Amino acid sequence: MSFLVEQVSDEDVSGAFSSGQPDALTLVYERFGPLVYSIALRSLSARSDAEDVTQQVFVSAWRSRGSFDRSRGTLGGWLVTITRNKVADALRERQKNSRVLLQVAGRATVQTPEAPADRVVDRIVLADELAQLPEAQRLVMVLAFYSDLTHEQIAQVLALPLGTVKSHIRRGLRRMRSSLEANGVAH
């Protein structure tokens, strides 16, 4: 099946998926399963959690395929968005479970994760700067730095030319640096 999926265009896979064709989910999983799993594994660091999230992504995508609009973006980009949401859900669940375990263990106060205050502030500042970028640049930057995808992988997922991906990253970094320097944050 892997050989066949490489012969089918992204547009054909998206069309088959959108219309709910019988083998469409298999095609979509063959095409994008490794990407979804890779993002989940890098974010969660546990194979079992990454496998669970991957399954949840494809079940959710299939059930909500009617909401996928091919004119608004690629199927790969849509699946990456679902993956990020499912990863966030898994991380929230982990945090909730660790709080419950700490409370059950008899601790009166619940400690927050071991992130130093400076790192938390840095993450908040960077997240705010990312949020200021235009959507196309923001999505490319998030895939590059949070999902740790190569430029080529990003180009494939978003169905963009490689040069466009590189330009978005370069302009995004330049814009973020200028903004941080203007706000006195950059050194």
Side-chain angles (χ1 to χ4, degrees):
M1 188 74 168
S2 242
F3 178 72
L4 294 176
V5 79
E6 291 173 5
Q7 295 177 348
V8 179
S9 72
D10 283 348
E11 189 64 30
D12 290 340
V13 171
S14 295
F17 179 79
S18 293
S19 64
Q21 292 180 12
D23 291 336
L25 186 57
T26 302
L27 281 173
V28 171
Y29 182 78
E30 287 284 323
R31 176 77 45 99
F32 298 106
L35 172 66
V36 169
Y37 177 77
S38 174
I39 293 169
L41 183 60
R42 286 182 181 140
S43 300
L44 300 169
S45 302
R47 289 185 186 273
S48 61
D49 291 345
E51 290 166 357
D52 289 346
V53 164
T54 300
Q55 179 180 359
Q56 291 170 16
V57 166
F58 286 98
V59 168
S60 177
W62 185 251
R63 287 182 178 158
S64 62
R65 68 186 176 276
S67 68
F68 171 62
D69 183 357
R70 292 165 52 188
S71 68
R72 295 188 66 209
T74 66
L75 181 56
W78 187 66
L79 290 169
V80 166
T81 300
I82 294 172
T83 303
R84 294 191 64 225
N85 291 335
K86 295 298 180 185
V87 163
D89 292 346
L91 290 172
R92 275 192 293 277
E93 187 65 25
R94 259 190 203 171
Q95 189 175 34
K96 179 179 134 191
N97 289 342
S98 69
R99 285 182 182 154
V100 168
L101 288 173
L102 288 173
Q103 289 172 345
V104 168
R107 296 187 183 171
T109 61
V110 176
Q111 300 293 324
T112 55
E114 64 282 339
D118 289 345
R119 290 187 70 201
V120 171
V121 170
D122 289 346
R123 287 181 183 175
I124 291 169
V125 168
L126 287 176
D128 185 52
E129 289 301 323
L130 274 172
Q132 304 304 315
L133 294 175
E135 184 177 354
Q137 282 180 358
R138 181 175 54 247
L139 181 56
V140 169
M141 298 284 283
V142 166
L143 290 175
F145 296 106
Y146 289 111
S147 299
D148 200 25
L149 298 180
T150 66
H151 295 170
E152 291 80 10
Q153 290 169 324
I154 295 168
Q156 182 182 4
V157 167
L158 299 178
L160 293 172
L162 180 58
T164 301
V165 169
K166 290 179 178 182
S167 294
H168 281 323
I169 290 173
R170 188 172 41 257
R171 283 192 300 265
L173 287 172
R174 189 177 308 132
R175 183 173 174 171
M176 288 176 66
R177 185 181 64 220
S178 295
S179 178
L180 289 170
E181 286 173 350
N183 291 324
V185 177
H187 300 289

